Amino acid sequence: DAGVTQSPTHLIKTRGQQVTLRCSPKSGHDTVSWYQQALGQGPQFIFQYYEEEERQRGNFPDRFSGHQFPNYSSELNVNALLLGDSALYLCASSLVTATYGYTFGSGTRLTVV
Amino acid sequence: GDSVTQMEGPVTLSEEAFLTINCTYTATGYPSLFWYVQYPGEGLQLLLKATKADDKGSNKGFEATYRKETTSFHLEKGSVQVSDSAVYFCALSEGFQKLVFGTGTRLLVSP
């Protein structure tokens, strides 16, 4: 049974560019959350998607947007990249009730130069 | 808002030593509490959890007890191994909401 799959694993972008990160949730999960983990810090909640709608949002600017597809997979889009957006982006999937907790992917390492 | 405070690392121990990583939290309600572990180059793995006061979560020799009176959820292990070297995150979640993480504590275990 596959866990959470994220792609790509690494990428390098230039300031001002746009990036799309992808996440396939664990089989049976219907909710996807995205987190940003800066170097040496704990993950920070970006937003959560359920039934193709944004259900909760953390304290991130509108440059960060997302989408959930009918198959529960999700994308995170970041526009007008800043150097400070360099981080590990983690996707976590769960049931909407989070009854059995959250399963995290290995993350996408984004470097903005 | 909700927050989690962990002891700063790194924590450096010899193999078979006793481990304690302190974690305290601030929350408006009655959160669930978690410990996650992150090995180099990997995502987060759930280590253990507790959903109500006085619950003890345990897994792979690690334990933590939900102490409402002291708002704490300290992680302990009686005898650490080199393979336990990783970064440990304490986290909370209220209802079915987002996870709020601490800043992490790096554990280094030497043979």
Side-chain angles (χ1 to χ4, degrees):
Chain A
D1 181 21
V4 176
T5 304
Q6 292 187 243
S7 63
T9 54
H10 298 81
L11 74 166
I12 300 173
K13 290 288 189 178
T14 303
R15 274 181 301 174
Q17 286 188 316
Q18 179 265 344
V19 68
T20 297
L21 310 182
R22 296 176 175 82
C23 172
S24 293
K26 181 178 179 178
S27 177
H29 284 181
D30 56 13
T31 302
V32 173
S33 303
W34 287 91
Y35 291 81
Q36 180 195 66
Q37 185 180 14
L39 198 61
Q41 300 297 314
Q44 299 291 316
F45 176 75
I46 303 175
F47 42 55
Q48 183 183 81
Y49 276 84
Y50 171 66
E51 291 190 336
E52 303 180 47
E53 292 192 358
E54 185 180 287
R55 188 163 170 256
Q56 305 174 61
R57 188 178 182 93
N59 189 25
F60 279 80
D62 292 344
R63 298 187 297 108
F64 289 77
S65 63
H67 189 76
Q68 186 180 33
F69 299 94
N71 67 353
Y72 307 117
S73 66
S74 177
E75 290 182 347
L76 164 65
N77 300 291
V78 187
N79 294 322
L81 284 166
L82 304 174
L83 295 179
D85 295 331
S86 295
L88 179 67
Y89 288 85
L90 295 166
C91 172
S93 73
S94 65
L95 294 173
V96 66
T97 58
T99 307
Y100 303 107
Y102 304 85
T103 301
F104 281 82
S106 297
T108 294
R109 173 72 63 187
L110 171 64
T111 301
V112 182
V113 297
Chain B
D2 295 351
S3 66
V4 173
T5 302
Q6 291 181 236
M7 61 187 292
E8 289 194 18
V11 174
T12 304
L13 296 172
S14 298
E15 204 165 26
E16 298 184 1
F18 184 86
L19 168 70
T20 299
I21 300 178
N22 291 335
C23 170
T24 57
Y25 68 90
T26 301
T28 53
Y30 300 94
S32 296
L33 301 174
F34 306 83
W35 278 99
Y36 281 85
V37 59
Q38 187 173 37
Y39 297 99
E42 298 185 14
L44 301 174
Q45 298 178 24
L46 177 63
L47 183 58
L48 53 84
K49 67 176 182 179
T51 58
K52 61 183 186 297
D54 299 325
D55 267 2
K56 177 184 283 188
S58 62
N59 185 27
K60 300 180 181 179
F62 291 89
E63 293 182 341
T65 301
Y66 189 140
R67 300 290 188 197
K68 185 172 181 294
E69 64 276 13
T70 55
T71 62
S72 64
F73 193 54
H74 305 321
L75 182 67
E76 297 182 335
K77 186 176 185 183
S79 176
V80 293
Q81 305 300 312
V82 172
S83 58
D84 293 328
S85 297
V87 180
Y88 292 81
F89 291 94
C90 185
L92 67 80
S93 177
E94 294 211 61
F96 310 126
Q97 306 299 312
K98 63 183 180 182
L99 286 164
V100 175
F101 288 89
T103 54
T105 302
R106 181 174 299 277
L107 171 65
L108 300 171
V109 181
S110 56

